[in-house]
Structure formats: structure tokens, C-alpha cells
Amino acid sequence: MAEKIKKKSKSGQPSEAMQLNRIKPVTNFFFNLLFTILALACLLPIVFIFIISITDENVIRTQGYQFYVTAKTASTKAYEYLWTQRQTILGAMWVSVKVTAIGTVLGVILTTLMGYVLSRKEYRLRGFYTMLIFIPMIFGGGLAASYVVNTQILHLGNTLAILILPLAVSSFNVVIARTFFQSTIPDSVIESAKLDGASQWSIFFKIVLPISKPVLATIALFLAFGYWNDWYQSMLYIKDQDLQSLQAMLNSMQKNLEYLTKNPTAGMTSSDMIRMMPQESVRMAIAFVVAVPIACVYPFFQKYFISGLTVGAVKG
């Protein structure tokens, strides 16, 4: 049978295996149509937000949201207003960038270290710590307990560390790393390195990590999304405006549009600024500014992200 398949393949005819795996043109068309609709469903909200952000505020008040803009209804006042508040907005964006960068690097290191240790069968406390990490996936300590620990015991309130440390490690990411190392890193490679005299640190950083790009990219993407979109930590623990992230500022604006008037320009009162500010378009402009940077990062990690999510899948 194998010889027949080979002969057919050499003669230019499709093999039996290829014929069995071939997708019918009609099925392929519907698959393409489905994925096109899903892609548009993800892309259109971003486009819609951008259109609203460049629509004149008076048009939004009288006609509501519209999925098109003309030369008469277009306006750049929202972005012009954001430019006048660039010091506040850029400061908040810089906080988000720092938190995302530091938190992602720290989280990847801690998560992969924990996952690698739990993947080693010779580690005696492997079962105990696996259960200890698995429990938080089901039960949580509650908001009051975490607030008391972070503010009264660890004294992390109103510091940059409170925006980084609580989100650095999650049980879900540790399980992903553990599964990847168990199913992908051969024990023979680890044993060979030990026979050559390599320490555990050398094995991890020089052998394991270089061949673990899929799981590194997957965890990094999860962490980057989590840090970039987080506003809850700022709302709970941050009182200093200089430490608020861009997302926290956006959330504050959505609740109270007077947020940007805390630093009024010279010669203008807060009421004047509120009256002049294009409220709805400013909201959408900041939402667009928040969403675009992290959306542009995803395509570069997509290949590794898919590989990391399929860790442990049944291979044919």
C-alpha cells in the first residue's frame, strides 16, 4: 500500500492520504467566509471607534453614532484636545509602558521557572506545589484579604510595584509552562546536560529556554495584554495621579469627564474646559490610542502563540 502511494506521488497524482485530507471547494469556501466574518467582527469595532473619534461633537449629539464620516462631519478636535493634554496623557501612557514591559519580563521569568521545576519528575515536592498552584484557579482569597495583605502587610499601596507584582504570576500560565516543558523537553536532553556537569541554572537558561519560544511568546502575550488593559489595580491602590496608568485614566474619564480638568491651562476655568471639550469623541480617541498599540503587537507573536496554546494536544 505504501509503495502504491509513493508511486502515485511520484507520478504526479495525489496520494490516497492527500485525497482523504483534501477539503471540498464548497467547504473551503464556507470556511473562508466564516473566518472573514470573524476577522471583520474583530476589526470593525476598532474602525468604528476611530470614525467616532474624528466625528464632530455636534453631529454626534444630534445624529448619534454613525459608521461613516464626510468632510462636513469630520473633526480633529478630539485629537487636538488630547494634544493640549499631552503631558497628562503621555505621563499615563509612560506608566502603562513601564508596567507592561517590566511586568511581562518579570512574569515570564517567574512563570517559566515555576513551570520548569514542576515539570521535573525527580522533584520531591512536585505534587504538593502543583496542588498549591492549582487551588487559586478554583478559589480566591477575596478582595478584602488581598487589599489588607498588599497595603497593610506588604505596604505596596500607591507604588509602581502594586501595578506589577499581583499580576506577574497566574496559575493558568504556570500550568501552560509546566505542560509545555513536560511534553516538549526530552528527559534525555536534561540528563545529558547533567552528565556534562551543567548546573540546573545552566540547563534552564542555556538549553531549555532557547527551545521554548512558543511558550515564552504565549505567556508574554497573555501578560502584556493583562498589564496593558489593567485599570483595576490603579483604581484600588493608586492615589497619586503620576502613577495612574492610561487605562485607569480612561476609566476615570468614562465615569467623570472632569478628570482631564484637574490640570487646567492658564486663563481657563474648569467649566470653560468642560464646555469646550468634545466629550464623546475624546472618549473614543483615548480608547483608540489604548487599543492600537497592543493590537499591533499580536501579529508578531501569532505563530508562537498558536503553538503555545496547542501544547499537550494529541498529535497525529
Side-chain angles (χ1 to χ4, degrees):
M1 185 67 182
E3 293 179 357
K4 291 182 179 180
I5 294 176
K6 289 180 180 179
K7 289 180 180 179
K8 290 181 179 180
S9 299
K10 290 179 180 179
S11 63
Q13 298 296 328
S15 65
E16 185 175 346
M18 292 176 63
Q19 291 178 352
L20 291 174
N21 292 324
R22 178 181 294 174
I23 299 177
K24 296 181 179 179
V26 177
T27 305
N28 188 45
F29 170 78
F30 282 107
F31 277 152
N32 291 332
L33 180 61
L34 175 63
F35 287 122
T36 301
I37 294 174
L38 292 176
L40 290 176
C42 297
L43 181 62
L44 288 180
I46 301 296
V47 176
F48 190 40
I49 288 174
F50 176 72
I51 291 174
I52 297 174
S53 69
I54 60 174
T55 302
D56 186 81
E57 187 71 18
N58 294 325
V59 175
I60 296 176
R61 291 195 187 101
T62 56
Q63 302 180 17
Y65 294 155
Q66 297 180 355
F67 200 74
Y68 62 89
V69 63
T70 63
K72 293 182 179 180
T73 60
S75 174
T76 60
K77 288 184 179 180
Y79 292 96
E80 291 173 2
Y81 185 84
L82 294 184
W83 178 252
T84 63
Q85 300 295 324
R86 59 187 178 276
Q87 185 175 359
T88 302
I89 295 173
L90 290 178
M93 181 175 288
W94 176 237
V95 171
S96 293
V97 170
K98 285 193 296 184
V99 169
T100 301
I102 297 173
T104 300
V105 173
L106 180 63
V108 168
I109 293 174
L110 294 176
T111 302
T112 51
L113 280 172
M114 295 175 66
Y116 174 72
V117 171
L118 295 178
S119 68
R120 297 300 92 201
K121 297 179 181 178
E122 63 272 15
Y123 182 54
R124 295 182 179 179
L125 298 178
R126 176 189 176 198
F128 171 74
Y129 281 114
T130 299
M131 184 59 64
L132 196 65
I133 290 173
F134 182 72
I135 288 175
M137 294 181 66
I138 304 175
F139 305 102
L143 176 60
S146 61
Y147 185 85
V148 170
V149 170
N150 290 327
T151 57
Q152 303 300 323
I153 299 177
L154 300 179
H155 301 288
L156 297 177
N158 208 35
T159 63
L160 202 63
I162 194 62
L163 302 179
I164 298 174
L165 296 180
L167 303 179
V169 178
S170 72
S171 299
F172 180 73
N173 291 341
V174 173
V175 171
I176 289 179
R178 171 180 173 271
T179 305
F180 180 87
F181 292 136
Q182 277 184 338
S183 60
T184 305
I185 308 299
D187 293 334
S188 57
V189 174
I190 307 298
E191 295 299 329
S192 299
K194 289 181 180 179
L195 292 175
D196 291 337
S199 64
Q200 288 290 352
W201 290 106
S202 298
I203 293 173
F204 179 73
F205 285 105
K206 295 182 180 180
I207 298 177
V208 174
L209 287 188
I211 59 177
S212 303
K213 291 181 180 179
V215 73
L216 293 178
T218 301
I219 295 173
L221 197 62
F222 281 151
L223 288 170
F225 279 164
Y227 279 115
W228 185 260
N229 294 322
D230 178 63
W231 55 269
Y232 193 64
Q233 301 295 322
S234 294
M235 183 189 72
L236 287 178
Y237 301 108
I238 299 299
K239 297 179 181 179
D240 188 355
Q241 293 183 13
D242 294 335
L243 294 178
Q244 277 202 331
S245 64
L246 185 63
Q247 294 72 22
M249 188 185 70
L250 172 62
N251 183 65
S252 298
M253 287 180 60
Q254 290 176 340
K255 292 182 178 180
N256 185 3
L257 287 175
E258 296 181 1
Y259 180 82
L260 288 178
T261 65
K262 291 182 179 179
N263 297 308
T265 57
M268 295 182 63
T269 63
S270 296
S271 59
D272 293 333
M273 295 189 70
I274 295 173
R275 187 172 59 255
M276 293 177 61
M277 184 173 67
Q279 299 177 1
E280 291 298 325
S281 54
V282 164
R283 286 178 176 175
M284 297 304 171
I286 293 228
F288 182 76
V289 170
V290 169
V292 168
I294 199 67
C296 294
V297 172
Y298 178 76
F300 297 99
F301 291 88
Q302 183 178 8
K303 179 177 67 174
Y304 298 114
F305 180 70
I306 295 173
S307 301
L309 287 182
T310 55
V311 167
V314 179
K315 299 180 179 179

